[in-house]
Amino acid sequence: VTGVQTCALPIWKDGTVAYTYGQYFDPNSQETTSCASKDKNQAVYWYEKAAQLGNDNAKSALSALKN
């Protein structure tokens, strides 16, 4: 589709993409995208998805957000 920006990301089996998506929402992260505004609840959601898939970075980021 021409002129339509999509920001859908697949969730890889190791949680890398879910972790990256969490970073976009994380108010503590410098990662940005035009598709997402900083939102702690959304960051927690994506970090939890990534952590469930074994991503250690997500586990650390999740811990930092919850403190």
Side-chain angles (χ1 to χ4, degrees), residues 5-22:
Q5 181 181 14
T6 62
C7 294
L9 297 172
I11 299 175
W12 293 348
K13 290 182 181 180
D14 66 357
T16 301
V17 175
Y19 169 69
T20 301
Y21 214 38

Side-chain angles (χ1 to χ4, degrees), residues 1-64:
V1 178
T2 305
V4 175
Q5 181 181 14
T6 62
C7 294
L9 297 172
I11 299 175
W12 293 348
K13 290 182 181 180
D14 66 357
T16 301
V17 175
Y19 169 69
T20 301
Y21 214 38
Q23 286 184 301
Y24 291 147
F25 287 106
D26 188 343
N28 300 326
S29 172
Q30 297 300 313
E31 296 294 330
T32 62
T33 179
S34 61
C35 299
S37 299
K38 298 297 183 180
D39 181 324
K40 182 179 176 180
N41 293 329
Q42 284 293 316
V44 167
Y45 172 83
W46 286 107
Y47 285 152
E48 285 177 343
K49 288 278 190 196
Q52 289 169 359
L53 294 168
N55 187 290
D56 290 332
N57 291 328
K59 293 173 188 176
S60 296
L62 190 56
S63 177

